[in-house]
Amino acid sequence: MAYGLSKMVGGPILHLAFRPWVEGKQYVPENGAAILASNHLSIMDSVFLPLVLDRDVVFVAKQEYFTGTRPIDRLTARFMRSSGQLPVNRGNNRAAQEALDASLGVLKAGGLFGIYPEGTRSPDARLYRGRTGVAWLALTADVPVVPVAMINTERALPPGTRIPRPVKVGIRFGPPMTFEEYKGQAGKARARRAVTDQIVAAIGELSGQEYVPNYAPKRNADPDAGA
């Protein structure tokens, strides 16, 4: 109920200010568990992606998203709390596993789970190498992965800025991906890497971003670094 209310109240404002366009929405299943694997250009990605869908989308978001004091931070925190997003402390490996376990719970309950395979926001709007948590989830839960490209969201709220800019943004969904050849191999590092690379390649085809075969640098001092 809170999720629907937040979209009802904030949705018209966001649609008016950013005029989001959507392609491939039919690829998102109307029911049942699935992973939405997206590039990550802005803190606003976690707002726009759920905004354009009829189903609830759950993200595991880092704790800092819920504790910021700037107006945009408070707005984001309010939306995330109302939409059931899961705060997690990313400070250690145990926290990372707890985040994956919580994500797995969402999928086992038949929900839509959103994840950013790059692991953090892109520092320069390029697409970086994916971390293999997305593959572990997909193979463990045995659910489809829908690749997603966020377009232009880095211009809506550039890093270091406090006030969103009214620019047109886009969300592009691709066909669901399944990985039958790697079924039951979630525990194998080679399988997780292969699946992750396929997912990131599909995201790149949708976004048109330049690909960087390295992990994106994490900016620990940046409170807007991606989940």
Side-chain angles (χ1 to χ4, degrees):
M1 183 179 297
Y3 194 177
L5 182 61
S6 66
K7 291 175 72 172
M8 185 182 301
V9 173
I13 298 173
L14 291 169
H15 277 283
L16 181 64
F18 300 99
R19 298 161 291 153
W21 53 266
V22 183
E23 291 181 2
K25 186 177 177 180
Q26 72 273 15
Y27 293 127
V28 180
E30 295 182 359
N31 50 66
I35 296 170
L36 303 180
S38 174
N39 60 340
H40 198 13
L41 300 173
S42 168
I43 187 177
M44 299 292 285
D45 295 334
S46 298
V47 174
F48 286 117
L49 181 51
L51 177 69
V52 301
L53 295 176
D54 301 323
R55 295 184 62 185
D56 294 0
V57 182
V58 176
F59 292 87
V60 168
K62 70 173 194 172
Q63 183 68 40
E64 288 89 335
Y65 277 162
F66 297 81
T67 58
T69 58
R70 300 177 303 175
I72 186 60
D73 296 333
R74 292 172 179 167
L75 178 63
T76 300
R78 182 176 300 176
F79 180 85
M80 287 186 170
R81 289 192 185 95
S82 67
S83 58
Q85 310 309 305
L86 306 175
V88 63
N89 185 339
R90 298 189 309 170
N92 53 56
N93 290 335
R94 181 179 177 182
Q97 186 58 50
E98 288 176 351
L100 287 174
D101 291 342
S103 310
L104 188 59
V106 173
L107 294 170
K108 286 184 175 180
L112 273 183
F113 180 72
I115 189 170
Y116 303 115
E118 294 167 276
T120 191
R121 222 173 5 93
S122 173
D124 52 18
R126 295 187 295 174
L127 182 66
Y128 284 78
R129 191 178 194 222
R131 298 181 182 273
T132 59
V134 63
W136 183 87
L137 279 175
L139 296 176
T140 301
D142 192 20
V143 298
V145 176
V146 178
V148 184
M150 307 302 295
I151 311 292
N152 225 23
T153 53
E154 79 280 9
R155 294 182 57 201
L157 189 68
T161 61
R162 296 176 178 271
I163 300 175
R165 301 174 181 177
V167 300
K168 192 170 185 177
V169 303
I171 303 92
R172 183 177 287 135
F173 299 94
M177 306 174 70
T178 56
F179 307 95
E180 292 300 321
E181 67 270 38
Y182 298 107
K183 190 170 183 177
Q185 299 184 43
K188 297 183 179 181
R190 185 172 297 180
R192 294 196 303 272
R193 171 47 56 195
V195 169
T196 300
D197 289 347
Q198 289 181 35
I199 293 169
V200 171
I203 294 171
E205 289 182 7
L206 294 171
S207 69
Q209 292 169 275
E210 177 186 348
Y211 177 68
V212 181
N214 302 312
Y215 294 123
K218 290 188 177 181
R219 293 153 297 170
N220 295 328
D222 182 358
D224 290 345

